[in-house]
Amino acid sequence: LLDGLQHIDWPQPLKDSQTNWIGRSQGASAVFKVNGHDAVIDVFTTRPDTISGVPFMTLAPEHELVSKITTQEHKAEVEAYIEATAKRSERERMADVKTISGVFTGAYAEHPFTKEPIPIWIGDYVLAGYGTGAVMAVPCGDQRDYDFAKHFNIPIPNIFEGVDISEEAFADKEKTIIANSGFLNGLPYKKAMKLAIYELEKIGQGK
């Protein structure tokens, strides 16, 4: 669709609105293995450079893996949350940025590079029909992830050099220099993004 717009004799403002509507995103698909299961969680992210800043993952309550990976002790709470979420439309969930809710599944994913365990939550701010229905949460760089982490007292690692994240997330990728991220340290956004994708492909956990 985007390529076709180059060959149509339309006014530029109309082409621009079409381009925005199509909404192409560039980034990476990353694969997180689930501890104790054969299952994997596929995530699409426009910021693979921030992969070291992931203290938790969030699945849409409707995600097919939720019933398979939820532990016995969290089952009742998770099922009650899914039931409550089902009463709200996707439009309501997208529009409601004030209410923060979620439930821990009891399951953990494995970080592709550090192999550290990452707790898997469900939250209604993630929609099953958007992307893969799963988010690798980077609270230091995304405000909704930041608010979720603060609400549930989840630690927020800072992977941005010289940036204060005590009050809010830092989303200006053009001013980003990556820190606390091993092989990505000291790199600006574009270089870090390319290297992160290259390394994910090398270990067969992304593209």
Side-chain angles (χ1 to χ4, degrees):
L1 287 171
L2 281 174
D3 293 344
L5 282 173
Q6 309 306 315
H7 310 292
I8 301 174
D9 184 21
W10 282 1
Q12 194 57 43
L14 192 53
K15 285 188 180 186
D16 291 343
S17 68
Q18 283 286 302
T19 300
N20 294 335
W21 174 75
I22 292 165
R24 178 182 182 176
S25 290
Q26 286 182 297
S29 294
V31 177
F32 289 76
K33 295 172 181 172
V34 181
N35 290 346
H37 294 268
D38 292 335
V40 296
I41 297 170
D42 289 305
V43 171
F44 175 77
T45 174
T46 57
R47 295 292 306 273
D49 57 306
T50 63
I51 196 159
S52 292
V54 180
F56 66 99
M57 301 189 79
T58 316
L59 303 182
E62 310 88 342
H63 196 288
E64 60 179 10
L65 281 183
V66 174
S67 58
K68 295 175 187 166
I69 65 172
T70 298
T71 59
Q72 201 57 43
E73 59 263 43
H74 290 87
K75 213 172 184 99
E77 199 182 356
V78 165
E79 283 173 359
Y81 184 77
I82 291 170
E83 202 176 309
T85 304
K87 294 172 182 159
R88 304 175 76 206
S89 70
E90 284 202 352
R91 183 172 294 218
E92 278 179 85
R93 283 162 59 182
M94 281 173 77
D96 183 7
V97 292
K98 288 196 175 76
T99 311
I100 298 167
S101 70
V103 178
F104 178 45
T105 63
Y108 290 83
E110 179 187 271
H111 193 282
F113 296 126
T114 66
K115 307 304 177 193
E116 291 285 316
I118 303 169
I120 303 168
W121 288 66
I122 60 173
D124 68 359
Y125 77 102
V126 182
L127 303 174
Y130 185 80
T132 62
V135 165
M136 64 166 219
V138 183
C140 68
D142 180 278
Q143 195 58 44
R144 288 197 96 167
D145 294 340
Y146 185 93
D147 295 339
F148 192 94
K150 284 281 187 192
H151 187 81
F152 290 108
N153 292 317
I154 301 168
I156 301 176
N158 188 0
I159 54 156
F160 301 130
E161 199 173 282
V163 169
D164 177 17
I165 56 157
S166 59
E167 298 298 324
E168 60 182 0
F170 177 75
D172 188 348
K173 57 190 179 193
E174 299 309 326
K175 290 182 183 168
T176 293
I177 299 291
I178 300 294
N180 304 318
S181 300
F183 61 87
L184 297 174
N185 283 353
L187 294 178
Y189 155 68
K190 281 185 179 163
K191 284 186 177 173
M193 182 165 166
K194 281 181 182 167
L195 183 56
I197 295 171
Y198 172 77
E199 292 293 338
L200 281 168
E201 287 181 334
K202 210 160 79 171
I203 59 172
Q205 282 188 247
K207 59 179 185 288

